[in-house]
Amino acid sequence: MPGNEKKGANTDPDPDPAPYLFLTFEMKRADMAKPYDAKKSFWTPDGEGGFLEGMLESENGGKVQVMVGHDKKTFKKEQIQQVNPRKFEKCEDMSNLTYLNEASVLHNLRSRYQAKLIYTYSGCSAWLSILTK
């Protein structure tokens, strides 16, 4: 498997990547418990190159007001991006994401890395390792 170090003799089989690829049932259940509204959940820019999740409060022309944490912030409509349904949290294959936008891909990679799920698919069969040395 690309990106891993072989721990035995050259004739030993490669280590099983499953613990670093697939979610456990407990992880899925915890992710499904997070609040989500398909029409109001959006990613907003955080000002540092990342994104924060917020709930849409109001829309007025080209401006939207989003509740991020306990703060109401105003953005241009083009700056916010939709959040994927919770069933796609830590998704193994990112091409399955409902909303394939920059914020959703970065969130998926970050949440998988934090959960020690360091391998993911992107498209047909390409393996990506998000583990950095």
Side-chain angles (χ1 to χ4, degrees), residues 6-13:
K6 202 149 195 156
K7 299 226 178 200
N10 287 339
T11 58
D12 290 347

Side-chain angles (χ1 to χ4, degrees), residues 80-98:
I80 63 173
Q81 301 173 24
Q82 282 214 268
V83 174
N84 283 293
R86 294 298 180 218
K87 69 179 184 178
F88 293 110
E89 280 289 311
K90 299 182 186 90
C91 185
E92 291 98 14
D93 188 349
M94 288 192 290
S95 66
N96 290 336
L97 294 175
T98 303

